Amino acid sequence: MASPAATRPAPQDEPLVSIDGLSVDFATPRGTIHALRNIDLEVPRGKVLGLVGESGCGKSTLAYSLIGLLSENARIAGGAIRMDGHDLARLGPRAWRDLRGQRISMIFQDPMTALNPVTTIGRQMMDIQYRDPGTRAQKRARAIEFLEQVQLPDAASKLDVYPHQLSGGMRQRVCIAMALLTRPDLLIADEPTTALDATLEMQIVTLLRELQEKFGCSVLFVSHHLGTVAELCDEVAVMYAGEVVERGAVAEVFNAPRHPYTQALFDCDPARIRVATRHLPTIPGTLPDLRQPPRGCAFRARCGKAFARCEVEHPPLYPAAPGQDARCHLVDPAEDAS
Amino acid sequence: MSLLEVTDLRIRYVRQGRLKAALRREPRDFEAVCGVSFQLDPGQTLGLVGESGSGKSTIARTLIGLKKSSGGSIRFDGAEISDASARDWGRLRREMSMMWQDPVGSLSPRLTVKALVTEPLRINGMKASRAEAVRLLSLVGLPPEFANRYPHQLSGGQARRVGVARALALDPKLLIADEPTAGLDMSVQGEVLNLLAEVQARSGVAIVIITHNLNLVRHVTDQMAIMYLGRFVEQGPTEQIFAQPRHPYTKALLEANPEPDPEARQDYVPLSGEVPSPVNRPTGCDFHPRCVHARPDCAARVPDWTEEGARGHRCMYPL
């Protein structure tokens, strides 16, 4: 069997990763939670894909399944994650070790817990180059080079400090440097700015944008913050209750959202409400129980536009506009005709 | 007369022991809040905005008597409270209450919702009946059956509502909300803010909201103050500040708030550097090392507070 790390030249327009019908279940004492159901999504080559949704929608589960870090009680119940002819959904632990940190790397939400508190930054950055044959001096030089890439002032001296000696923004820069050090094809960023202050958030988003353009890697940017997604991403997928309900180019989806959930989510964002108001819109109701996902549309119970068909028939992803799909019967061309 | 009048409030934190400070020839403590003044009328909402370490939560803790001030005055309902005794605080805390930042963490996991919302009544020797708990829950839109639940059975939004119910139990005159929407989903944030607005319309409670979320401040506050390194850099009616920020930091903060519109993608350069430590303040204006408009004398002297009608700022060369 060929090593999964082996690259094969691929045309630019072919997606880097294509997820086909991926389903993930979590076994819990209270029953099986169908956390992801039938996800179809492509991570385009050299672009930034945003994954948006509220807590419990499965965006982190999807991100973790792309890097093989799902928890013990998770089970991939179906579907495939294809990357360069390999199916990541069926990869064994050995094969994952060749990929993870090498071709797929990740930036986590909290940079303090992502870094080892008892070793220096330099030690950690040299350790992750264990696959390379180079000398210590070469690895050290490479670590400095990448700390400079993330615009850390006085990079060489930072190799000897411990994570607690750095500020939150600097720590996240170190994490980004470490994630990019191996020149991955796919960088997964799971809410990388949530733990940071507003002015730092924009610094990190701008930095990610610059580095993505420089390195040409694909980025999966998981966030609940619509503003940063609009700022950074080329494409976006909106998730609700374990499904992708809408996907498409950021400009299309943000300007003309077609799924009622996407519309409601955008309406709730106080940043989009220009006139000061004392009464902010909300989405009434709660998420459905994912132990028994509803038969019809998952959003039906909270949707103001639901009709009879939504209760009985689960909507597929209908093409809503060129390059934009929405999982809603209202977008079905047949519905227009009738 | 204002309900709350804070004048030149100063708060210090001890940093190291006397011996260590003497050996290192360093000061023992540092000023986390230096010279903050504001007023709040009944029925009004003030937003304190700033990044972490700006001193906004320190002000909240001092207002409610959990931290002693080192200078200045705090007048609440006409009386000076900065030197109030523990006995005075027993009475004062009936009139002001606090909503804590972590909605689930601030509720004891061993108490039921009924016990949690009526705890302030019990502490003050009032009757903590089930009917009272149900009344408080209905104020925040929770059904009576929630009275028997434990905090782990609540969602983030529900836990927030319980926090609001508990803060309202004694019908306070002042409510201090520390990051009331932190950790909540966007579709639920609105619920909590609408709830606070409703309560305020009904009871006339004055609210201080501490947050770093400018979108929220814009919609729910009448007045706002922007903090940087323990000082107000700008203060005034919320609408005016959003329309025309005068201090460069306010402007940077407003710009660092990306709009959810891909076409509005800005090419501006985000603020460089990070907030310095209050232990080693920059000379002159606190903000000058990061300010793109800084001039040589910004490093030389601390700018004075400049009043301009209803608003004010601390910048020598305002925008």
Side-chain angles (χ1 to χ4, degrees), chain B residues 78-96:
Chain B
E80 178 65 39
I81 61 165
S82 56
D83 51 359
S85 63
R87 200 191 164 90
D88 293 334
W89 273 113
R91 176 182 56 80
L92 282 166
R93 289 210 186 97
R94 264 173 252 168
E95 300 186 340
M96 47 171 94

Side-chain angles (χ1 to χ4, degrees), chain A residues 8-18 42-46 83-85:
Chain A
R8 124 186 112 82
Q12 267 307 306
D13 51 346
E14 195 180 297
L16 176 72
V17 183
S18 58
E42 288 175 349
V43 182
R45 225 169 258 277
M83 181 169 165
D84 289 338

Side-chain angles (χ1 to χ4, degrees), chain A:
Chain A
M1 189 189 131
S3 154
T7 26
R8 124 186 112 82
Q12 267 307 306
D13 51 346
E14 195 180 297
L16 176 72
V17 183
S18 58
I19 305 165
D20 298 315
L22 180 72
S23 297
V24 173
D25 289 350
F26 285 96
T28 71
R30 294 175 167 208
T32 304
I33 294 170
H34 305 284
L36 291 183
R37 299 183 312 286
N38 216 357
I39 301 284
D40 288 318
L41 197 62
E42 288 175 349
V43 182
R45 225 169 258 277
K47 286 190 175 167
V48 186
L49 169 68
L51 210 51
V52 179
E54 297 186 283
S55 35
C57 73
K59 56 188 193 301
S60 290
T61 304
L62 182 55
Y64 279 84
S65 59
L66 285 183
I67 193 168
L69 288 178
L70 287 172
S71 60
E72 289 275 302
N73 63 341
R75 188 177 70 89
I76 295 185
I81 306 170
R82 285 182 231 287
M83 181 169 165
D84 289 338
H86 302 286
D87 182 0
L88 304 188
R90 307 265 169 275
L91 230 47
R94 273 188 83 97
W96 262 123
R97 274 202 294 277
D98 288 337
L99 273 184
R100 201 188 290 129
Q102 186 73 11
R103 299 200 50 211
I104 306 175
S105 62
M106 189 151 179
I107 309 168
F108 295 88
Q109 183 169 337
D110 183 354
M112 190 63 211
T113 50
L115 295 169
N116 184 341
V118 297
T119 55
T120 60
I121 300 295
R123 176 77 190 270
Q124 298 183 49
M125 293 193 72
M126 283 153 74
D127 282 352
I128 60 167
Q129 302 177 55
Y130 69 95
R131 296 180 180 95
D132 296 345
T135 62
R136 280 182 59 82
Q138 284 169 335
K139 290 180 180 178
R140 194 178 161 87
R142 199 167 157 78
I144 295 175
E145 180 197 332
F146 273 81
L147 288 181
E148 280 165 356
Q149 290 284 3
V150 296
Q151 297 155 22
L152 211 61
D154 199 9
S157 72
K158 293 291 187 297
L159 290 183
D160 302 319
V161 306
Y162 290 87
H164 74 266
Q165 293 169 292
L166 298 174
S167 66
M170 285 190 191
R171 274 182 221 135
Q172 196 58 292
R173 283 172 195 267
V174 170
C175 289
I176 295 174
M178 288 175 76
L180 290 173
L181 193 77
T182 54
R183 295 278 191 146
D185 295 317
L186 175 62
L187 175 66
I188 300 172
D190 185 15
E191 309 243 8
T193 59
T194 307
L196 301 177
D197 275 323
T199 53
L200 290 179
E201 178 168 41
M202 282 314 290
Q203 283 179 14
I204 295 292
V205 165
T206 319
L207 177 72
L208 274 175
R209 177 98 235 167
E210 281 170 21
L211 292 174
Q212 188 270 331
E213 279 165 10
K214 193 183 279 175
F215 290 91
C217 58
S218 301
V219 177
L220 182 72
F221 183 74
V222 181
S223 180
H224 64 271
H225 188 185
L226 298 174
T228 53
V229 171
E231 195 71 30
L232 180 68
C233 299
D234 303 298
E235 296 191 14
V236 66
V238 183
M239 292 188 66
Y240 180 77
E243 292 180 314
V244 172
V245 294
E246 184 155 4
R247 62 179 188 204
V250 166
E252 259 64 56
V253 174
F254 275 61
N255 283 333
R258 298 297 298 272
H259 194 282
Y261 174 66
T262 319
Q263 291 164 1
L265 189 67
F266 284 7
D267 287 345
C268 284
D269 187 350
R272 275 174 93 96
I273 307 166
R274 304 202 181 259
V275 186
T277 171
R278 275 295 157 97
H279 191 85
L280 294 163
T282 60
I283 306 179
T286 50
L287 280 172
D289 184 354
L290 292 186
R291 282 172 291 181
Q292 285 142 346
R295 189 156 60 105
C297 171
F299 188 57
R300 184 189 60 85
R302 304 171 78 181
C303 180
K305 296 171 182 164
F307 57 108
R309 199 176 159 196
C310 306
E311 191 169 353
V312 289
E313 192 187 335
H314 185 258
L317 275 167
Y318 295 106
Q324 185 180 0
D325 305 307
R327 197 182 282 282
C328 177
H329 289 310
L330 288 171
V331 186
D332 184 3
E335 203 59 48
D336 268 347
S338 63

